Amino acid sequence: MSKKFYITTPIYYVNDKPHIGHAYTTIAADVLARWHRLQGEEVFFLTGTDEHGDKVAESAKKYGQEVLEFVNTNAKKFRQTFDNLNIQYDIFMRTTKPEHEASVKIFMEKLNKAGALYQGVYQGLYCPSCEDFYTEKDLLDGKCPVHLIALKMLEEKNWFFKLKKYLPAVKKVIENGKLEIAPETIKKEVLGLFKQGLKDFSVTREKVEWGLDFSIVPGQKIYVWVEALQNYISAIGYGRNLENYQKCWPADLHLIGKDIIKFHAIYWPAMLLAAGEKLPKKIYAHGFFSINGQKMSKTLGNVIDPNEMVKKYGVDATRYLLLSQFPFGQDGDIKAEKFDEQYNAFLANGLGNLVSRVAKLIEQSGGKLKDKLKESDQLFKKFSSSLRKLEFTEAIAVFEAEINNLDDELQEERPWEKAVNDKNRLTFLQEASEKILAITKAIEPFLPETSLKIKKKFTAPRITKGKPLFPRIEA
Ligand code: MSP
């Protein structure tokens, strides 16, 4: 039986249409999913949308729509965007699906039977945008540290999860690496959270209307984060399809942004331990990016729509442009006005031009290569050692260096100055084609369409220059 690889992205809030932040994590997950498939593994790739809670309901109101209609419209936009980005997900999960509700009900009841829940009173400063409570010390100028809005003091009867009871066990698995948290900086941050004193958290809400019912106590809704995390198991049939669940779970990798690390690295493992389920093997939290030094926000008007990028640059170039900006584990800044320049330099003049030049030379020599193309996976292996660490920019640098090398060799050899049937010219073109094929194999997870086009071109009965892979963008 082949090895399985279960990879997830966060499920995204549908209070608005998707932006390049959502695209960033999802493209990264897709690259990894494709890379695992190329190695013959059985991949389950889950992404989707988080559709309950006040924030979503309030947005629907703002747009003058029924909540269900609103979430349907926006969930569709996410799905279409991911399709536009050539994301090969296996399941697109929506928390408004009845299957999700069914699994969540079973999981919550299991938590209750295990004695992990109790009734209490919650009092705190609530931010409706974060869907989260804050304590005084978290505030920034007396306001929500994330949204900078004034917070209301709320008191309500809630059900709580005995987080404190499970903290030592969670800390232990993080420390001994049974639950791998990466990168190292994030792991340190998480271990730091244990020292700050974490409290039991409430798993239900009284005042929320748009949510899943808490079957144990009528009138209470399940806190949106608590059910959202369960999408990782509801999507594969928790409590409903035991066979599929056991085949997929535990997740091999939860890929998230660092903003939601506490929920994933502490709350989620604690809930799973309480319910007697296995823990995910690894959680990787990537960095956050700003746009020209500022937070991406509607108010600032600097939100970039990934669909617009696909229209302008094409799907593969968009994937490349987003993942090549800065190391995955770090924060970075995106300067959209640099995209044209980067596209021209690395794709139009780089890979695209190299492929055209070599193909044209072969075309001039009759369109046929000397021999059958030999395959080599050396470059793929080199690539893989970067991808294993989720070093996307390092992997991209490997392929860019390879393109530069081949460009240099071409410049030195100058096959165009030789006769079309010159033996050295034909040998050189044979070798260059094999190198291009090796590059093609390595870049497939990043640039799947381009990779296929190049492979077709060089294995066609007659090789021709054809159309450019990446037409230059003129200023
Ligand atoms: N619905 C929750 C997640 C629940 S998971 C069980 C949520 N949704 S979200 O729509 O706000 O998406 C947050 C995620 O979007 C981040 O964790 C990250 O993956 C991605 N990003 C959003 N903005 C981003 C940047 N500016 N930079 C990098 N990633 C970004 O939180």
Side-chain angles (χ1 to χ4, degrees):
M1 217 178 68
S2 64
K3 210 173 131 193
K4 70 95 187 168
F5 183 71
Y6 179 29
I7 179 170
T8 69
T9 72
I11 45 171
Y12 305 104
Y13 286 130
V14 286
N15 52 309
D16 221 321
K17 60 180 193 181
H19 56 59
I20 54 168
H22 309 124
Y24 186 65
T25 317
T26 314
I27 294 169
D30 187 59
V31 169
L32 294 172
R34 286 175 185 270
W35 174 62
H36 278 271
R37 282 190 205 107
L38 277 176
Q39 295 168 84
E41 292 174 30
E42 192 176 355
V43 171
F44 303 94
F45 173 12
L46 171 71
T47 188
T49 42
D50 190 351
E51 306 189 6
H52 289 126
D54 270 349
K55 192 155 88 174
V56 172
E58 271 166 27
S59 295
K61 222 197 228 156
K62 224 172 54 203
Y63 284 92
Q65 285 184 26
E66 286 295 325
V67 193
L68 192 60
E69 182 194 329
F70 179 74
V71 299
N72 284 341
T73 309
N74 276 348
K76 206 165 161 191
K77 282 185 195 157
F78 270 89
R79 193 170 177 151
Q80 267 165 2
T81 302
F82 293 166
D83 289 341
N84 282 346
L85 290 165
N86 204 355
I87 305 297
Q88 235 173 42
Y89 50 80
D90 294 291
I91 311 164
F92 186 94
M93 194 55 185
R94 299 183 54 190
T95 54
T96 47
K97 283 189 187 174
E99 303 95 280
H100 176 69
E101 182 165 8
S103 290
V104 168
K105 182 169 183 276
I106 296 167
F107 188 84
M108 297 308 287
E109 282 167 7
K110 192 145 183 210
L111 285 184
N112 192 38
K113 271 214 194 93
L117 306 180
Y118 64 95
Q119 194 187 18
V121 173
Y122 195 92
Q123 205 195 36
L125 292 158
Y126 186 71
C127 173
S129 288
C130 298
E131 309 269 12
D132 204 1
F133 282 96
Y134 284 99
T135 56
E136 294 287 347
K137 71 171 191 346
D138 300 324
L139 304 185
L140 207 75
D141 297 332
K143 292 177 177 165
C144 163
V146 181
H147 298 92
L148 301 173
I149 51 175
L151 303 182
K152 276 183 272 181
M153 185 60 107
L154 283 189
E155 192 186 280
E156 56 177 46
K157 268 198 203 113
N158 282 170
W159 279 63
F160 284 75
F161 174 75
K162 289 184 182 162
L163 179 68
K164 281 196 289 202
K165 177 175 165 191
Y166 299 97
L167 283 177
V170 175
K171 186 162 174 255
K172 193 170 152 199
V173 291
I174 293 176
E175 275 168 347
N176 68 20
K178 280 200 178 125
L179 168 57
E180 188 185 345
I181 309 281
E184 200 54 36
T185 44
I186 296 286
K187 179 174 174 175
K188 279 207 188 100
E189 228 173 82
V190 170
L191 289 171
L193 290 175
F194 287 92
K195 287 191 203 119
Q196 284 176 22
L198 291 150
K199 290 200 200 118
D200 292 352
F201 58 87
S202 60
V203 296
T204 66
R205 291 286 184 269
E206 225 176 16
K207 298 186 174 72
V208 170
E209 269 171 44
W210 178 243
L212 293 180
D213 288 330
F214 182 53
S215 60
I216 298 148
V217 183
Q220 298 263 341
K221 297 281 184 194
I222 301 170
Y223 172 36
V224 61
W225 260 107
V226 167
E227 54 130 321
L229 288 163
Q230 293 172 52
N231 96 91
Y232 299 131
I233 55 175
S234 73
I236 52 170
Y238 173 81
R240 299 177 289 109
N241 181 345
L242 188 66
E243 197 187 329
N244 194 59
Y245 177 72
Q246 282 178 339
K247 188 169 149 194
C248 299
W249 194 254
D252 294 85
L253 177 62
H254 286 320
L255 197 62
I256 57 168
K258 67 173 193 181
D259 54 330
I260 53 179
I261 187 67
K262 183 180 79 182
F263 293 101
H264 283 81
I266 299 180
Y267 290 12
W268 179 226
M271 285 160 63
L272 287 165
L273 282 177
E277 298 299 325
K278 289 183 187 152
L279 299 185
K281 291 188 190 147
K282 180 169 175 170
I283 299 170
Y284 188 102
H286 64 70
F288 245 56
F289 57 77
S290 50
I291 308 284
N292 293 321
Q294 281 178 307
K295 197 180 152 158
M296 189 164 51
S297 85
K298 246 185 147 175
T299 349
L300 289 171
N302 61 358
V303 178
I304 302 174
D305 180 345
N307 299 295
E308 293 301 320
M309 287 185 70
V310 173
K311 265 189 220 149
K312 180 164 183 190
Y313 303 107
V315 47
D316 282 5
T318 300
R319 295 164 64 98
Y320 171 89
L321 286 171
L322 289 178
L323 281 192
S324 62
Q325 296 298 323
F326 46 82
F328 196 55
Q330 294 169 25
D331 291 340
D333 191 46
I334 288 186
K335 293 186 175 46
E337 67 272 12
K338 285 259 165 83
F339 283 160
D340 285 8
E341 201 182 305
Q342 291 163 348
Y343 169 94
N344 281 338
F346 298 120
L347 296 172
N349 299 344
L351 178 62
N353 191 43
L354 175 70
V355 166
S356 289
R357 284 172 82 192
V358 174
K360 185 177 162 195
L361 289 162
I362 300 172
E363 185 177 354
Q364 289 167 339
S365 289
K368 292 220 188 313
L369 289 166
K370 265 175 61 188
D371 305 302
K372 209 173 157 273
L373 283 168
K374 274 202 284 304
E375 277 190 42
S376 150
D377 59 359
Q378 235 171 340
L379 189 63
F380 184 78
K381 280 194 185 136
K382 208 164 159 194
F383 224 64
S384 296
S385 67
S386 299
L387 281 188
R388 207 163 289 127
K389 300 176 286 176
L390 281 80
E391 296 283 4
F392 297 102
T393 49
E394 195 183 281
I396 287 171
V398 167
F399 113 71
E400 284 173 357
E402 197 63 20
I403 288 170
N404 287 339
N405 285 344
L406 197 48
D407 266 339
D408 290 347
E409 285 173 24
L410 204 59
Q411 222 43 41
E412 234 165 76
E413 183 74 20
R414 312 183 81 73
W416 54 87
E417 289 175 356
K418 299 190 173 104
V420 292
N421 57 358
D422 178 276
K423 231 175 110 192
N424 289 338
R425 168 173 165 138
L426 296 180
T427 305
F428 178 83
L429 292 178
Q430 173 78 28
E431 284 167 10
S433 302
E434 282 166 4
K435 283 181 186 158
I436 288 176
L437 218 61
I439 294 174
T440 306
K441 182 172 179 195
I443 62 165
E444 191 182 321
F446 287 90
L447 311 174
E449 270 187 3
T450 307
S451 173
L452 200 69
K453 279 189 204 157
I454 302 176
K455 208 185 289 168
K456 270 197 185 147
K457 188 188 277 293
F458 282 87
T459 51
R462 193 182 127 74
I463 299 170
T464 56
K465 179 173 174 239
K467 282 198 234 117
L469 289 172
F470 300 100
R472 269 189 71 87
I473 289 185
E474 303 304 334

